[in-house]
Amino acid sequence: MTVTPVYTVWSQSSGGGRDGEVVSESGRIDLELQPPAEMGGSGDGSNPEELFSAGYAACFNGALHLVAKNAGVELPEGTTVKATVGIGKDDVDDGFGLTADIHVHAPGLDAAKAQELAEAADGFCPYSKATKGNIAHQVTSSV
């Protein structure tokens, strides 16, 4: 696959990675990072999984709106996308791996149509494309 970027951005990490700081090119992201308490940290800062879940949820929501529009479906007000990202030991090399579960909530939409749109968005979303086959993930919906 060839991609011709129409937008690029960088972020820079300093300190110890999970114990440090991350700043984006625009300066809109300027966060202290701390491991979550579940991983032995203080939990007093953000962490890479939190940032990834936020980006994935926003990207997937954009993909959902586009596939719905292209299908001639108006998403109900209150439609949300929740991306739940997990990290834990993998069974490959005793390293770490990620999971990602995407949940679309489309109140008032037909349940089958909501799931159809969620699956279509999963095929379109760049984050889903990047992670497919690389991390365990599932896509669900509710109305």
Side-chain angles (χ1 to χ4, degrees):
M1 168 174 46
T2 301
V3 176
T4 304
V6 295
Y7 170 73
T8 61
V9 65
W10 58 260
S11 293
Q12 182 170 297
S13 171
S14 60
R18 290 179 174 277
D19 261 328
E21 182 182 22
V22 66
V23 178
S24 67
E25 179 177 6
S26 68
R28 287 188 285 271
I29 296 174
D30 186 348
L31 299 171
E32 178 184 338
L33 301 177
Q34 293 289 321
E38 295 85 350
M39 294 180 72
S42 69
D44 290 338
S46 188
N47 61 70
E49 292 71 38
E50 184 175 55
L51 297 170
F52 181 60
S53 72
Y56 201 164
C59 186
F60 198 98
N61 198 3
L64 178 68
H65 277 79
L66 185 60
V67 298
K69 179 181 175 185
N70 290 344
V73 176
E74 186 174 334
L75 291 173
E77 189 159 331
T79 296
T80 59
V81 173
K82 180 184 195 177
T84 303
V85 172
I87 184 171
K89 289 283 196 175
D90 67 28
D91 60 2
V92 177
D93 60 6
D94 202 33
F96 286 88
L98 298 175
T99 62
D101 294 323
I102 307 298
H103 184 77
V104 172
H105 178 64
L109 193 64
D110 174 75
K113 181 54 76 175
Q115 187 62 32
E116 177 186 320
L117 291 171
E119 290 172 10
D122 189 45
F124 188 80
C125 173
Y127 276 57
S128 290
K129 288 178 183 179
T131 59
K132 203 161 280 182
N134 296 310
I135 67 173
H137 92 279
Q138 68 178 8
V139 176
T140 59
S141 64
S142 64
V143 292

